[in-house]
Amino acid sequence: MRDAKLADLPAIVAIYNQSVPGGWSTADTRPVSVDDRRAWFERHDPARRPLWVAETEREVVAWVGLSSFYQGRPAYDATAEISTYVATSHQRRGIGRFLKERMIAHCPNLGVTTLLSMYFDHNQATRRINDTLGFETMGHLTSIAVVDGMPRGLIIAGLRIPPNVPNDSHVACST
């Protein structure tokens, strides 16, 4: 696992596009291009909104990233949305869960205290992972999307993350 580089963008897009035909993980109804995702890629910043890739034998097989919530409005600086995608050839091996766990553990270093995971209500795999990681449903927008002719709802799940507190938290008081 490492920070994504611009050279990884074609692999990131290819993995994302694998999820389009199934209608489980994205509201895009047709594949996106590398050019379509360039600005999205550039909004990621290892210090605030990282984008990581997982490699197996020098091949990018998954990615996880944080995006600013609600178009990055300042009042939501401590809130981020997590996205995780795994190549179909590497699914069901625990890679997605591992990446999500690592990003959650890194959130205090990024100042993220609320992590959101948004997913279609028929996506049971994401629901199971989120449930085991402690995410709670904060909202359910029913029949908000149409994917392959079917109405789909969107679950908004959230995880509260304690802020990063230094180990030496003694406060000197004077009276």
Side-chain angles (χ1 to χ4, degrees), residues 35-53:
D35 285 339
D36 292 337
R37 287 303 209 157
R38 195 171 308 275
W40 166 86
F41 179 87
E42 291 170 356
R43 283 192 297 273
H44 287 88
D45 169 13
R48 293 204 67 248
R49 299 295 185 253
L51 178 62
W52 297 338
V53 294

Side-chain angles (χ1 to χ4, degrees), residues 1 7 10-11 16 18 29 31 38 42-43 46 61 71 82 108 112 117 121 132 141 145 156:
M1 188 177 70
Y16 179 84
Q18 289 175 6
T29 56
R38 195 171 308 275
E42 291 170 356
R43 283 192 297 273
V61 297
Q71 301 168 352
I82 190 167
V112 173
S117 175
D121 53 11
T132 63
L141 306 174
I156 303 168

Side-chain angles (χ1 to χ4, degrees), residues 4-25:
K5 299 180 272 193
L6 187 56
D8 299 319
L9 188 54
I12 291 167
V13 168
I15 291 167
Y16 179 84
N17 283 338
Q18 289 175 6
S19 70
V20 172
W24 292 95
S25 306

